[in-house]
Amino acid sequence: MTPVSTLQIFLFCILGVNPIFSFSPLDTRYTKKKKNHVSLSATASNKSNNKEHSPYLQDMKNKRAYPQQTPHAGRHFRPSHPHHAPSKLSQRFNRLKRHPQRTKTKRFMEGWYYRLTIPESNVSFAFIFSIEDPFESELSLSCVQVMGPNDEYVVQAEPSHEKFWAFAHSQSFGCVFDYDKDAMIASSKIEKDDVLEVLDPDDFEKYVKAGFQMLPTRLQGKVKGHDGSLGGVLENQGIPRTCDFDVQITPLSGWGDDDQDLEKSRQKSTAGWLASYSVFEPHWQVTLADARATGYATWNGTRYDFENVPFYAEKNWGGSFPSKWYWVQCNSFQGFTSQDGSNRLSLTAGGGIRKVPFGGTEDLGMVCIHYNGVFYEAVPWTGDMEWEVDPWGSWKFSAKCTSGKRLFEVDVVATCEEDGVVLRAPTQDLGMVYFCRDSFFANVELSLYELDWDKDKKEYVRGHAILENVKSIERTGAVEIGGGPYWNPWKGKSKMKSFLKSLVKLPYLFGK
Amino acid sequence: MTPASTLQIILLCFLGVNPIFSFSPLDTRYTKKKKNHVSLSATASNKSNNKEHSPYLQDMKNKRAYPQQTPHAGRHFRPSHPNQSKLSQRFNRFKRHPQRTKTKRFMEGWYYRLTIPESNVSFAFIFSIEDPFESELSLSCVQVMGPNDEYVVQAEPSHEKFWAFAHSQSFGCVFDYNADAMVKDDKIGKNEVLEVLDPDDFEKYVKAGFQMLPTRLQGKVKGHDGSLGGVLENQGIPRSCDFDVQITPLSGWGDDDQDLEKSRQKSTAGWLASYSVFEPHWQVTLADARATGYATWNGTRYDFENVPFYAEKNWGGSFPCKWYWVQCNSFQGFTSPDGSNRLSLTAGGGIRKVPFGGTEDLGMVCIHYNGVFYEAVPWTGDMEWEVDPWGSWKFSAKCTSGKRLFEVDVVATCEEDGVVLRAPTQDLGMVYFCRDSFFANVELSLYELIWDKDKKEYVRGNAILENVKSIERTGAVEIGGGPYWNPWKGKSKMKSFLKSLVKLPYLFGK
């Protein structure tokens, strides 16, 4: 090998595996799309009346949608949508790239979860979007599920992947199942053979009959689906049901302290930087720990309007779910749901058992709080956590953060008297099948204390109470159990393998 | 190292790991027990009136209890009962695992089921010992499933009272007995720990406990229903069950064979079951038998005579992560009290872990029909199953190896909810882990398979049994582990190198 090519190989390796420097994925601006495609994003932004949303109609490198945008806001796969097909040259270099841009060939799914709570009426909606296997596969699926009032459920899915589009640099994605094609051609919005990609919100409202679209601060959807009760998620596998929604989102907390900087962000990865690597699946990122939503949702004909109600967003991606997990979320605590976000409190807690290489498993759990712009993070690499989760109905957590400058202890108790609803999740072996149970009618209570290091006793002791026995608005907490089995109450302790802990804590040594 | 000691080490290794020659465990006859122990077995056998059971009061090498005795009838651990000799304890570590003192999680459990078809009543008696050494999870336990899928448990977090023989299916544990009366009647010395008792003595002096001789099962359970948190004292609503069952074996696990000396009964899981890496272990000890005696459930007495009886056992460090099981030996027209016309189905399977993080899906369907054993196990053919989260079990299995080729279809359904049972799990000990019912309906069909030379495949020949139904609501069904969110479809796929290993003995026999 000549000296030059060795250097080239060396450089490729750095580009391929270097985790520290954030090389952006290839530029995906529309000018690089195929010639004969009229880019809808160009068309849409030129003709849009929704000027405040126009920037979001393009996937733009190094431009964050809002200050609270977290890492992993963009997609982690290359969609098979015609507008995202890689150039022949980049296809050849595919295998050297960091995985967000690799063409997937083994089981892969990415899912986005949004929840809004209308406290006055005890109504919550959860909008769940997912793409499984964005390549040729028996289990390819583009899917939208909605949990509606009274823990009811609707799903619409197609066993295809080419219509699903997603941006790499912001949280934008969508899929149109059915639309008024003739009208769009007549209005010069598209050419004959186009596959719809991002649409101006007004165009979505006007022409789309079934489908969904997320721009970072605008979520729209028209679900013409069913309740999944007759066997599956595809057409005719349940009793018909519909849901339409149009939600405008005002971010408050992403995942970290409040930070108004749009250019540089110090929002954090929920699972640490290791989340960039597929060996540490499954991946999870809370993208909006607290936000406010305005708009409407209709459920089987009944319309629910809401203004500045609590909103929450997260995403999951990877090849598999944990084998057993729990999750509790609440951002509707009594006295902390001010519409402008001046007084706010949000709890996100989750954990479970995941598989690690060579047949082992790891028990992990975290409890995180966003309180008036301050982020309290009790994650496996900053402290210990214990949980006790019943087969259904009770979730108890106790977590400490004994690392860094903000030491604290938090206790959480969530209870749910309703039965909840069994939801589907994209499992590794069977695709989209029942795998978890959720409810939005839980009651949550939390207490947050400072921790001080007592030099004499040589241990951490509780200091003053930051929050004590704060209760959620009745029956507005979200709770979930997944995987299993659940024959007995589940007691666990979060125990991250120490070498992983040291790795994940590296960035903390430089910051904070 | 001198040549002599090297040789010694080689010999010890050979003795330690040699799987082919069946070195019997050390002789455990009572004459080797400690001096100051009066062996109850000697005492009992001398004074016993139950002469036909007296041979069973001793653990005797090379003497099978009955022709149908299967491999693995004896224990797979060394009990911590005081009657074990100190000398053998020292050589413990060199021995094959049945005789090693366990230091990691270990359990052995015995399961017996009897069905009273006329009244749709079944009893299941489940005995287990966990961690027969110093451990937080040590437990000697008896559980009984009674009429109406009800449940009782009695357990003690100890292991020293549990005794078990190495050569036959005999074991027991006495929780509570009339010590003064026994000492007065000269049955035992002071400070003795009870071991095997003559059945009459068990009946007379034992207040709570159980004992199994190979053909006599006795027990007095003063327990509770486990509804208040656990299996130990005061963790449920009190409930009691007494039983005294005499067993007449019909089929062990294999073809009928009257030879008492040499047996050709088979290991349910193949010879690999002798090695702990291939856990969990399972052996059906009596695929079909008849039982006579009585059982009382919370005061109500049930008498029975020559009713269908079934026995199996499990042992090892852990259960499979997910499994199913269906058993029935009460088919319409096949429950003759003398066993002249009999049919027994045993099917089970699931997912077990193999070394290095993989899992293996395995399943089997086996039939004992009038003394002939139809074995569709992972190394003789394929099997498919479809098991719902509850209520439906469907199996389809083929045996395409050996001389007895066949195909079997089984459907079991259960409309009752069943009862959630505890099992000795690896991490948490005795906690809820499976769901059982004895009210299932089972239907099976058994066909010959013939190799069609033209089509180059196996085709169905004539029907040996077609659409045979169980007596209504007398089939036993179970699901365990989990999770069970969706219907479970599986195919039995044994790793090929394991398949070849297990089939080795088949090349020599059959």
Side-chain angles (χ1 to χ4, degrees):
Chain A
M1 290 211 282
T2 71
V4 172
S5 53
T6 313
L7 180 63
Q8 284 173 349
I9 289 167
F10 185 68
L11 280 173
F12 275 133
C13 291
I14 289 188
L15 290 169
V17 307
N18 188 339
I20 310 293
F21 302 98
S22 57
F23 285 105
S24 304
L26 284 188
D27 193 345
T28 53
R29 245 176 286 189
Y30 61 86
T31 48
K32 294 233 165 99
K33 292 191 178 54
K34 291 190 184 162
K35 264 202 200 155
N36 54 349
H37 276 275
V38 174
S39 165
L40 260 71
S41 44
T43 313
S45 63
N46 290 344
K47 301 186 185 176
S48 170
N49 289 331
N50 289 318
K51 277 282 171 231
E52 72 278 20
H53 296 290
S54 299
Y56 306 145
L57 299 176
Q58 299 178 33
D59 192 6
M60 290 189 297
K61 193 158 67 163
N62 295 331
K63 191 170 193 325
R64 293 142 56 70
Y66 42 76
Q68 299 89 341
Q69 181 168 311
T70 60
H72 301 293
R75 68 189 185 214
H76 293 85
F77 64 99
R78 184 182 282 283
S80 50
H81 193 285
H83 290 190
H84 299 277
S87 67
K88 279 218 149 50
L89 188 67
S90 63
Q91 274 179 40
R92 253 176 241 139
F93 290 119
N94 219 347
R95 296 202 164 272
L96 296 173
K97 300 188 195 112
R98 260 170 70 198
H99 77 88
Q101 293 310 110
R102 274 188 69 165
T103 304
K104 303 294 175 193
T105 47
K106 60 171 193 163
R107 265 318 259 143
F108 177 81
M109 72 87 196
E110 189 150 3
W112 296 258
Y113 179 100
Y114 305 96
R115 178 182 177 229
L116 63 86
T117 315
I118 308 173
E120 308 82 55
S121 45
N122 269 155
V123 164
S124 288
F125 282 90
F127 307 103
I128 311 167
F129 310 95
S130 56
I131 173 78
E132 283 178 77
D133 287 358
F135 48 84
E136 277 314 304
S137 157
E138 278 182 1
L139 293 171
S140 291
L141 196 76
S142 303
C143 180
V144 50
Q145 304 176 75
V146 183
M147 270 177 78
N150 302 317
D151 276 349
E152 291 180 343
Y153 173 83
V154 68
V155 60
Q156 183 175 10
E158 275 194 10
S160 68
H161 51 96
E162 300 91 355
K163 297 183 197 168
F164 196 104
W165 62 270
F167 283 172
H169 302 285
S170 61
Q171 194 166 162
S172 309
F173 60 86
C175 185
V176 174
F177 294 125
D178 190 20
Y179 64 107
D180 195 347
K181 194 167 185 180
D182 300 329
M184 284 194 93
I185 294 173
S187 315
S188 269
K189 295 278 182 181
I190 55 167
E191 303 289 305
K192 250 191 149 187
D193 297 322
D194 273 349
V195 179
L196 291 193
E197 204 206 12
V198 60
L199 293 171
D200 181 278
D202 291 342
D203 289 340
F204 185 97
E205 180 57 39
K206 194 165 167 186
Y207 298 109
V208 171
K209 296 188 197 170
F212 53 88
Q213 169 168 293
M214 171 68 172
L215 300 175
T217 53
R218 184 82 180 262
L219 177 62
Q220 292 169 284
K222 298 190 189 193
V223 183
K224 303 277 175 289
H226 57 74
D227 68 355
S229 59
L230 299 176
V233 299
L234 302 176
E235 273 196 70
N236 301 322
Q237 287 186 315
I239 299 162
R241 197 170 263 175
T242 61
C243 174
D244 294 349
F245 49 92
D246 189 340
V247 184
Q248 295 183 46
I249 302 152
T250 308
L252 293 173
S253 299
W255 192 254
D257 291 340
D258 270 12
D259 189 343
Q260 292 311 314
D261 199 324
L262 192 63
E263 298 291 315
K264 257 195 261 183
S265 162
R266 280 180 291 271
Q267 298 295 292
K268 296 180 162 181
S269 292
T270 304
W273 66 268
L274 288 175
S276 300
Y277 291 86
S278 62
V279 69
F280 299 106
E281 290 183 351
H283 299 303
W284 180 36
Q285 174 71 41
V286 177
T287 48
L288 284 172
D290 207 358
R292 296 288 178 259
T294 299
Y296 74 88
T298 59
W299 187 258
N300 251 5
T302 309
R303 179 167 165 132
Y304 296 81
D305 288 279
F306 43 85
E307 192 171 337
N308 288 321
V309 295
F311 188 83
Y312 164 89
E314 67 165 52
K315 55 185 296 191
N316 299 278
W317 70 99
S320 61
F321 266 67
S323 51
K324 192 174 178 183
W325 80 89
Y326 58 84
W327 172 80
V328 173
Q329 183 270 329
C330 184
N331 57 346
S332 52
F333 287 93
Q334 296 176 17
F336 291 94
T337 55
S338 61
Q339 303 212 348
D340 61 356
S342 51
N343 198 19
R344 55 186 147 105
L345 173 61
S346 166
L347 161 75
T348 317
I353 304 174
R354 70 170 179 187
K355 299 187 176 80
V356 290
F358 304 119
T361 59
E362 200 173 40
D363 286 15
L364 299 174
M366 57 149 247
V367 180
C368 294
I369 304 217
H370 287 77
Y371 174 39
N372 287 342
V374 178
F375 179 42
Y376 295 89
E377 184 186 34
V379 283
W381 53 93
T382 63
D384 295 327
M385 181 199 168
E386 288 182 21
W387 67 82
E388 189 178 332
V389 173
D390 280 0
W392 183 254
S394 168
W395 294 252
K396 292 183 186 157
F397 311 132
S398 176
K400 287 186 175 71
C401 172
T402 50
S403 190
K405 295 192 182 144
R406 200 177 286 156
L407 308 184
F408 67 91
E409 183 176 14
V410 59
D411 287 331
V412 176
V413 176
T415 54
C416 184
E417 285 163 14
E418 307 281 328
D419 286 339
V421 60
V422 179
L423 287 187
R424 291 181 167 90
T427 61
Q428 179 150 34
D429 302 319
L430 301 172
M432 185 69 77
V433 292
Y434 289 122
F435 207 52
C436 53
R437 188 170 167 192
D438 278 57
S439 176
F440 292 146
F441 290 113
N443 294 315
V444 184
E445 188 172 323
L446 80 82
S447 301
L448 180 62
Y449 305 93
E450 282 183 357
L451 274 186
D452 301 316
W453 175 250
D454 186 325
K455 286 187 194 134
D456 308 314
K457 289 188 200 167
K458 293 227 180 291
E459 62 178 21
Y460 290 102
V461 292
R462 248 180 214 187
H464 98 271
I466 306 168
L467 292 162
E468 198 149 31
N469 296 116
V470 174
K471 290 180 170 50
S472 66
I473 295 171
E474 281 251 349
R475 300 174 83 240
T476 60
V479 286
E480 173 177 281
I481 51 151
Y486 286 96
W487 299 94
N488 304 284
W490 178 22
K491 289 193 189 172
K493 276 192 184 177
S494 182
K495 264 178 309 225
M496 198 174 197
K497 296 202 185 300
S498 39
F499 82 93
L500 287 177
K501 210 189 254 198
S502 323
L503 272 183
V504 175
K505 286 179 79 162
L506 267 181
Y508 286 69
L509 303 176
F510 300 118
K512 272 224 188 175
Chain B
M1 292 210 283
T2 69
S5 55
T6 313
L7 181 63
Q8 282 170 356
I9 288 166
I10 290 175
L11 277 175
L12 280 174
C13 291
F14 188 73
L15 290 169
V17 307
N18 189 340
I20 310 295
F21 301 95
S22 58
F23 284 105
S24 305
L26 285 187
D27 194 341
T28 55
R29 241 174 291 188
Y30 59 88
T31 48
K32 294 231 163 101
K33 291 188 177 60
K34 291 185 187 169
K35 267 201 200 152
N36 56 347
H37 275 273
V38 174
S39 166
L40 259 72
S41 44
T43 313
S45 61
N46 290 343
K47 299 184 184 178
S48 169
N49 290 329
N50 289 317
K51 277 282 172 230
E52 72 277 20
H53 296 292
S54 299
Y56 305 146
L57 299 176
Q58 298 178 32
D59 192 8
M60 290 190 297
K61 197 160 61 165
N62 297 331
K63 191 171 189 326
R64 295 144 54 73
Y66 42 75
Q68 300 88 342
Q69 181 168 312
T70 61
H72 302 294
R75 70 190 184 214
H76 292 87
F77 64 98
R78 183 180 284 285
S80 50
H81 195 281
N83 287 1
Q84 304 304 315
S85 80
K86 270 211 152 51
L87 187 68
S88 59
Q89 279 178 37
R90 251 176 241 140
F91 287 118
N92 228 340
R93 295 199 168 273
F94 294 116
K95 302 189 195 109
R96 262 170 68 198
H97 80 86
Q99 293 312 110
R100 275 187 70 162
T101 303
K102 303 293 175 188
T103 45
K104 62 171 189 161
R105 273 302 272 146
F106 177 82
M107 71 87 197
E108 191 152 2
W110 296 258
Y111 178 100
Y112 304 95
R113 178 183 176 228
L114 63 84
T115 317
I116 309 174
E118 308 82 56
S119 42
N120 267 156
V121 164
S122 287
F123 282 89
F125 307 102
I126 311 167
F127 310 95
S128 55
I129 172 79
E130 283 177 79
D131 288 357
F133 47 85
E134 277 316 302
S135 158
E136 280 181 358
L137 292 171
S138 291
L139 196 76
S140 302
C141 179
V142 49
Q143 303 176 74
V144 183
M145 270 176 79
N148 302 317
D149 275 349
E150 289 178 346
Y151 173 81
V152 68
V153 60
Q154 183 175 12
E156 275 193 10
S158 70
H159 50 95
E160 299 92 355
K161 297 183 195 168
F162 196 104
W163 63 269
F165 283 172
H167 304 286
S168 61
Q169 195 166 160
S170 310
F171 60 86
C173 185
V174 174
F175 295 125
D176 190 19
Y177 65 106
N178 197 341
D180 300 328
M182 285 195 92
V183 171
K184 203 170 106 192
D185 294 345
D186 213 14
K187 295 279 180 180
I188 55 169
K190 264 191 145 180
N191 298 327
E192 278 203 35
V193 179
L194 292 191
E195 206 203 14
V196 59
L197 294 172
D198 180 279
D200 292 343
D201 289 340
F202 185 96
E203 181 57 41
K204 193 167 167 186
Y205 299 110
V206 170
K207 296 188 199 170
F210 54 86
Q211 170 169 289
M212 171 66 173
L213 300 175
T215 53
R216 184 82 179 263
L217 176 61
Q218 292 170 284
K220 298 191 189 191
V221 182
K222 304 279 174 288
H224 57 76
D225 68 356
S227 60
L228 301 175
V231 299
L232 302 177
E233 273 196 71
N234 302 322
Q235 288 186 312
I237 300 162
R239 199 170 260 175
S240 63
C241 174
D242 295 348
F243 49 91
D244 189 340
V245 184
Q246 296 184 44
I247 302 152
T248 308
L250 294 174
S251 299
W253 192 253
D255 292 339
D256 269 11
D257 189 342
Q258 292 312 314
D259 198 325
L260 192 64
E261 297 290 316
K262 257 196 258 182
S263 162
R264 281 180 290 271
Q265 298 296 292
K266 297 180 163 181
S267 291
T268 304
W271 65 270
L272 289 175
S274 299
Y275 291 86
S276 61
V277 69
F278 299 105
E279 290 185 348
H281 300 302
W282 180 38
Q283 175 70 40
V284 176
T285 47
L286 284 173
D288 207 358
R290 297 288 178 260
T292 300
Y294 73 89
T296 58
W297 186 257
N298 251 3
T300 308
R301 178 165 165 134
Y302 297 81
D303 288 278
F304 43 85
E305 190 169 337
N306 288 320
V307 295
F309 188 83
Y310 165 89
E312 66 165 54
K313 55 187 296 194
N314 298 277
W315 70 98
S318 62
F319 267 66
C321 44
K322 192 172 177 182
W323 79 87
Y324 58 83
W325 172 80
V326 172
Q327 182 271 328
C328 182
N329 56 347
S330 52
F331 287 92
Q332 296 177 17
F334 291 95
T335 55
S336 58
D338 62 355
S340 49
N341 197 19
R342 55 186 148 106
L343 173 61
S344 165
L345 161 75
T346 317
I351 305 174
R352 71 171 178 188
K353 298 189 177 82
V354 291
F356 304 120
T359 58
E360 204 176 25
D361 285 16
L362 298 173
M364 56 149 249
V365 180
C366 295
I367 304 218
H368 286 78
Y369 175 38
N370 286 342
V372 177
F373 178 42
Y374 295 87
E375 183 185 35
V377 282
W379 52 93
T380 61
D382 295 327
M383 180 198 169
E384 288 182 23
W385 67 83
E386 190 178 333
V387 174
D388 280 359
W390 183 254
S392 168
W393 293 253
K394 292 183 186 159
F395 311 132
S396 175
K398 288 189 176 70
C399 173
T400 49
S401 189
K403 292 189 186 148
R404 200 176 286 157
L405 308 184
F406 68 92
E407 183 176 15
V408 59
D409 287 330
V410 176
V411 175
T413 54
C414 184
E415 284 162 14
E416 308 280 329
D417 287 339
V419 60
V420 179
L421 287 187
R422 290 181 167 90
T425 61
Q426 178 149 32
D427 302 318
L428 302 171
M430 185 69 77
V431 291
Y432 289 122
F433 208 50
C434 53
R435 188 169 166 192
D436 279 56
S437 177
F438 291 148
F439 289 113
N441 294 315
V442 184
E443 187 170 324
L444 80 82
S445 301
L446 180 64
Y447 304 94
E448 283 183 354
L449 273 187
I450 306 167
W451 176 250
D452 186 325
K453 286 189 194 131
D454 306 315
K455 290 188 200 166
K456 292 227 180 290
E457 61 176 24
Y458 289 101
V459 293
R460 254 184 210 184
N462 88 77
I464 307 169
L465 292 163
E466 197 148 34
N467 298 115
V468 175
K469 291 181 170 50
S470 66
I471 295 172
E472 280 251 351
R473 300 174 82 240
T474 60
V477 286
E478 173 177 281
I479 52 151
Y484 285 95
W485 299 95
N486 305 284
W488 179 22
K489 289 192 188 175
K491 276 192 184 178
S492 181
K493 263 177 310 224
M494 197 173 198
K495 296 201 185 301
S496 39
F497 81 93
L498 287 177
K499 208 188 256 200
S500 323
L501 272 183
V502 175
K503 285 180 79 163
L504 268 180
Y506 286 69
L507 303 177
F508 301 118
K510 272 229 190 173

